[in-house]
Amino acid sequence: MIIVLKPGVTEQEINHIVEKIEKLGLKPWVSKGVQKSIIGVIGEEDVLRVQPLEAFPGVEKVLSILKPFKLVSREFKPDDTIIDVKGVKIGGKQIIVMAGPCAVEKKDLLLEIAREVKKSGAKILRGGAFKPRTSPYSFQGLGEEGLRYLREVAEQTGLLVVTEVMDTRDVSLVEKYTDIFQIGARNMQNFNLLKEVGQSKKPVLLKRGMSSTVKELLMSAEYIASNGNLNIILCERGIRTFTEYTRNTFDIIAVPLVKELSHLPIIVDPSHATGKWGLVRPACKAAVAIGADGLLIEVHPSPEDALSDGVQSIVPERFDALMRELKAVAKAVGREI
Amino acid sequence: MIIVLKPGVTEQEINHIVEKIEKLGLKPWVSKGVQKSIIGVIGEEDVLRVQPLEAFPGVEKVLSILKPFKLVSREFKPDDTIIDVKGVKIGGKQIIVMAGPCAVEKKDLLLEIAREVKKSGAKILRGGAFKPRTSPYSFQGLGEEGLRYLREVAEQTGLLVVTEVMDTRDVSLVEKYTDIFQIGARNMQNFNLLKEVGQSKKPVLLKRGMSSTVKELLMSAEYIASNGNLNIILCERGIRTFTEYTRNTFDIIAVPLVKELSHLPIIVDPSHATGKWGLVRPACKAAVAIGADGLLIEVHPSPEDALSDGVQSIVPERFDALMRELKAVAKAVGREI
Amino acid sequence: MIIVLKPGVTEQEINHIVEKIEKLGLKPWVSKGVQKSIIGVIGEEDVLRVQPLEAFPGVEKVLSILKPFKLVSREFKPDDTIIDVKGVKIGGKQIIVMAGPCAVEKKDLLLEIAREVKKSGAKILRGGAFKPRTSPYSFQGLGEEGLRYLREVAEQTGLLVVTEVMDTRDVSLVEKYTDIFQIGARNMQNFNLLKEVGQSKKPVLLKRGMSSTVKELLMSAEYIASNGNLNIILCERGIRTFTEYTRNTFDIIAVPLVKELSHLPIIVDPSHATGKWGLVRPACKAAVAIGADGLLIEVHPSPEDALSDGVQSIVPERFDALMRELKAVAKAVGREI
Amino acid sequence: MIIVLKPGVTEQEINHIVEKIEKLGLKPWVSKGVQKSIIGVIGEEDVLRVQPLEAFPGVEKVLSILKPFKLVSREFKPDDTIIDVKGVKIGGKQIIVMAGPCAVEKKDLLLEIAREVKKSGAKILRGGAFKPRTSPYSFQGLGEEGLRYLREVAEQTGLLVVTEVMDTRDVSLVEKYTDIFQIGARNMQNFNLLKEVGQSKKPVLLKRGMSSTVKELLMSAEYIASNGNLNIILCERGIRTFTEYTRNTFDIIAVPLVKELSHLPIIVDPSHATGKWGLVRPACKAAVAIGADGLLIEVHPSPEDALSDGVQSIVPERFDALMRELKAVAKAVGREI
């Protein structure tokens, strides 16, 4: 940690800071320059981080040198983490596709979609039983009934299940039915929820908040990891910017950035990242080319009747054609799908 | 709702949309233009909103005409809502100041701060017992012990209490101790939490999410209102943008904008909006001048020792001087403090 | 154009608006609903656009139906535009790579880089003679001397030249030396400069401004087109958002979006979009997969000595390896490089 | 400057960096920590800034300690700069109001507006003769004719003139007619234009670019200052963010931030910052309360007929009422208007 001092800082102010740091058991060194003086502290930066150093008199700014996340960092574990969900491996050579409707509506419909996506190569069924909706007047999901449908359809088709949990009170309920917990973008910093799924053994799909930095995404993963669960799959799903035409801005560079900073696998949700079904196809090709470990795609046979997010869903035929195209791109970058 | 059709839309596609709308019990009218054709639907737009109209073939885009919030809208209730919390009125002529430490640390310290801010004119004591922290390794708050301190200090000083609730499981616990529930920025779209506090009778201070629009803030208020609780105080606390130097961008225009769109009172949190104690003073003056109904200010006698957010806290002497300056500004705009 | 009226709008206000529209030679129709009334105007929306309709009493908001750009729109010209620069075709099956140093420094060095990138498959040499630098104390480019080096090296190597013009006064000078004018991100809305290059016959590479929407990019292209020059190549180079770690946010979805809205070719500048050489390689692969018509890459043999943007430049060996990888990705999506 | 090294950096890499720095005549010191090592360089940071240090092997990141601007910094000149334009002092106790139409249209109309705003207390007449318009089909301004009208009306009314210059070729023309050059938001980084007005003696009103940081605004001011002209008035006019309802986000905190970092005066343009006339009034009150040195307000007697930006203009009666309200706010914060 580097503490940059204000011009005109006094000896007394410098001593005051130095004493504080020494009291914490750390070794500061002071370096006085012509234009600026600084105090450097090399060591357990975390101890210092809890101190509001910028509040000290004479301090201009504090520059951090160490990354604030640990267990999820590439430095902590240099090798890629591969998460094994009942034999389906996420983070390895194979790119895993998770597909299904935005919200679970009827069992028949879910079964139909599941069969289609399975046939085209998907390994995991997605679908929301609890839906975070901006309006209190929108469809909020079927709740436990939806979870039951997901489980039953998964058993019938041989797919695995990923579904969202939104409330700390629902974690054990959802755990009974799902193979992977999904933490939605709006809950990325619902820290109590992160702690709860961190105490489970089941893998967690953690979606990036719509205005979260990659560092914050990794800090939220650190919450899960520090509670004992290292089976974390990160997910880029678009960020909020000034752009128009698309619902979000697909921050594709988050994929190689996460790979550089962390050992965890990262997948992409092109449906939410773009918000328009016509852009899902190109977004998927780019995601595979850049190194995503998986895709989370909304598929619905009649998007115009979907109770949620129909605009960004693709029909099964398009999904099937897309999967074939993606195989070629995957091969070109040394992966398979 | 206006449905803009693509160039080259077919008669069949138009009929398909028209039939769908009529099936929902609404009356569409088609207007064909030289360059563009549109379908208008005037009436219960909410019925339509659940339909993904942009997923229909032939549709280019859908333009909304009605606002998506109702109970909290100015159109629903033209007069300003004044919230009476045990005699303290928020939303009226008087500007209410809520002050205190970011996090509750020790009881003695809390009492000292409470006495100071009360003396300077604050009416409500703020302080976090449950703290949403980006890092799992940071101080997470004292929990119920902190709530108890807040209540005791409030009784001793004659202040009211506002404190954050982060978890649906803690709502009834927090309700026992607080006068006003605070929903933090990170939980603005924690819809289950909104429903829970919506079922309470106690007022709710709802902070704007750091990347939420004013419309989304009002939609979240609508969640609380539609669950039966109309005692909602909105709070602008800065948004995330590309700016540097400050932690957030203080979106001051949200104050008159909310006043135009809604009947609810709105206060400002200059400590989080700016993230630097040196900017709290000018931000407060601007907030009062523009018409904010209250201020939420972090005060700590030794910010350098605060366990949370010391950088943005001001010392009691500065708070006292600030309150005197604010009185003059309030008077200049026909308010009092 | 749809004019949404305020609740409580008077007959007089409606008549006032209707008269104004009729005076402009257009036909308005009024539709009164239970909750909202609207006035629709189908026809020459451009005539209306110059009128500040939202300033009329009784108007709540104005919704635009037609796109504001014409000559560059896909509706105006359904087929892709292919730009032929002395035989090099941009916008066709082949993906064109433009490579070279950020700034032109010395002739020998430029020649060395040019030979390398040519050998690896680049068709066009990039390099700045006029450099827009944030600081007045940074290297501002060699000016005409740099242009001369570019021309000479191009002749010697058989490459074409693309270089930036920053000042209306320099357009004819730059035209003498370059094959393609580059308009930088900071000048995307330097409208006089757009008019000047619009009066030239030489192709223009128009970079997206760092906070410009795709619509604004196309409006700037419309400036060039409406002055007579339709040889426009668009370029996505990253936008400014709240993200950290990278210099900009690479908005890759702009590529398929531009293809949908416009007939013009679009290329990607991964060096500026990411700002880090380590991210150039993955960004290029994604760009090719998603359908970019070309790439603009900074190459420098010793980035640590470059006078400008060394951090985002890659060395010739990496460039060569990258080109081989890109060939595979291009083939997978039916293109070649 | 602090150079943070990667974990696993080699001795050879460290020596390579140290040698480079010494060759530049500076003194580096290496500090090896348990988790991280760093190299510090105290001294002429500018020399280093031109070197792409992050491109060196072994370097993780480079942290800057000194501010990149000088002549305009508060450290360079601790006292506030007061700019005297023919006796009107900007930056002193008095808050200066500049008012007038967005674009100059007809001489009669301009004279009418000028008389009104003068009567209400404005000191400077604003109006555009050259207009930067997003669409090539919009009104582009009257050019020299507009400049002439401005001058004539100024002479008749005793107001001063501020008007925009957009093109390096027009600087001497505009200089003949105006008292203050305005550099618009879109040209804040048109560096050649900044150099040109920097060689003039006339004051320059420099508007912040819509996605520029305060640091970049000051760097652009540094361009003007380093060319010899220190008569610079900064202007906050709203930034681009994700917010809706308003055209821009009024970043009011830029005012006290600029005052902290620089000695230059700063004014606010509430018309562009909000884009809606109904928000101009509250924005002005906040601007005065927070310490702005002036206001730039669009006034038009019939906004619905204005050829540019009518939506954000206020009528003379409202302007007059506003000026009276502002006097009270100014007085409350120890200023006058």
Side-chain angles (χ1 to χ4, degrees), chain D residues 1-144:
Chain D
M1 192 160 277
I2 303 293
I3 301 159
V4 182
L5 301 171
K6 286 189 181 157
V9 62
T10 65
E11 279 302 311
Q12 203 186 345
E13 287 168 340
I14 292 178
N15 292 340
H16 178 57
I17 301 165
V18 164
E19 278 164 30
K20 189 78 181 196
I21 294 167
E22 287 174 341
K23 217 181 289 174
L24 291 163
L26 300 170
K27 286 206 177 58
W29 38 261
V30 179
S31 168
K32 290 180 190 169
V34 188
Q35 294 170 280
K36 289 273 169 180
S37 295
I38 62 172
I39 300 175
V41 193
I42 300 286
E44 286 301 316
E45 199 160 287
D46 300 317
V47 181
L48 273 184
R49 217 186 295 273
V50 301
Q51 285 296 121
L53 287 164
E54 290 190 1
F56 276 68
V59 173
E60 185 174 289
K61 61 178 167 184
V62 175
L63 302 169
S64 199
I65 287 178
L66 296 183
K67 298 196 185 72
F69 44 87
K70 292 184 180 185
L71 302 174
V72 304
S73 76
R74 179 67 80 179
E75 292 169 19
F76 177 79
K77 175 172 179 293
D79 295 333
D80 286 352
T81 287
I82 296 176
I83 294 168
D84 188 326
V85 199
K86 296 181 176 171
V88 172
K89 297 199 174 74
I90 301 170
K93 196 184 177 191
Q94 201 181 19
I95 296 163
I96 301 302
V97 177
M98 313 180 181
C102 180
V104 176
E105 297 163 21
K106 289 177 197 148
K107 198 186 151 189
D108 281 4
L109 183 64
L110 186 65
L111 182 59
E112 179 196 336
I113 299 172
R115 280 183 176 141
E116 295 277 5
V117 301
K118 163 89 180 181
K119 206 175 60 191
S120 303
K123 294 276 183 290
I124 300 175
L125 178 67
R126 59 149 294 154
F130 297 105
K131 298 299 305 170
R133 303 301 298 271
T134 311
S135 167
Y137 310 119
S138 298
F139 175 61
Q140 310 270 320
L142 294 179
E144 186 166 7

Side-chain angles (χ1 to χ4, degrees), chain B residues 88-314:
Chain B
V88 172
K89 296 200 175 76
I90 302 170
K93 195 184 177 189
Q94 201 179 22
I95 295 163
I96 302 302
V97 176
M98 314 180 182
C102 180
V104 176
E105 296 163 21
K106 291 176 196 151
K107 199 186 147 189
D108 282 3
L109 184 63
L110 186 66
L111 183 58
E112 178 195 337
I113 298 172
R115 279 184 177 140
E116 296 276 8
V117 301
K118 163 92 180 177
K119 208 176 60 193
S120 304
K123 295 276 183 288
I124 300 176
L125 178 64
R126 60 148 295 154
F130 297 107
K131 298 298 306 168
R133 303 299 300 272
T134 311
S135 167
Y137 310 118
S138 298
F139 175 58
Q140 310 270 321
L142 295 179
E144 186 166 7
E145 192 185 353
L147 294 173
R148 212 158 40 227
Y149 293 170
L150 279 167
R151 189 74 259 153
E152 289 169 15
V153 166
E155 303 296 333
Q156 281 181 265
T157 52
L159 289 166
L160 299 180
V161 170
V162 59
T163 196
E164 181 163 358
V165 59
M166 284 171 61
D167 193 317
T168 49
R169 297 172 300 189
D170 296 331
V171 172
S172 55
L173 175 70
V174 174
E175 192 168 22
K176 282 203 310 194
Y177 295 98
T178 200
D179 296 301
I180 305 175
F181 285 113
Q182 180 177 314
I183 302 290
R186 287 182 180 80
N187 283 311
M188 193 201 84
Q189 293 194 323
N190 183 335
F191 301 116
N192 287 16
L193 187 58
L194 299 179
K195 288 176 192 169
E196 285 296 321
V197 297
Q199 281 156 27
S200 165
K201 291 278 162 282
K202 290 210 165 161
V204 180
L205 174 62
L206 177 65
K207 295 184 106 177
R208 180 180 179 186
M210 77 180 124
S211 69
S212 298
T213 62
V214 165
K215 187 169 85 181
E216 287 166 341
L217 172 62
L218 291 172
M219 289 304 291
S220 286
E222 187 82 13
Y223 257 96
I224 301 171
S226 66
N227 275 276
N229 188 350
L230 266 154
N231 294 312
I232 307 161
I233 304 147
L234 303 171
C235 181
E236 160 62 26
R237 47 74 74 202
I239 56 172
R240 179 164 280 186
T241 71
F242 62 84
T243 59
E244 45 184 11
Y245 289 128
T246 53
R247 184 165 161 185
N248 292 296
T249 296
F250 176 24
D251 183 17
I252 196 169
I253 282 296
V255 175
L257 209 50
V258 160
K259 295 257 164 227
E260 186 187 316
L261 297 168
S262 174
H263 52 84
L264 296 174
I266 178 163
I267 68 166
V268 160
D269 173 348
S271 307
H272 283 89
T274 66
K276 287 192 170 170
W277 68 261
L279 294 170
V280 168
R281 180 176 161 247
C284 283
K285 290 200 249 180
V288 168
I290 212 167
D293 297 307
L295 296 167
L296 186 67
I297 305 177
E298 290 187 7
V299 176
H300 197 288
S302 59
E304 52 182 75
D305 292 315
L307 294 178
S308 177
D309 280 347
V311 179
Q312 64 196 34
S313 298
I314 59 175

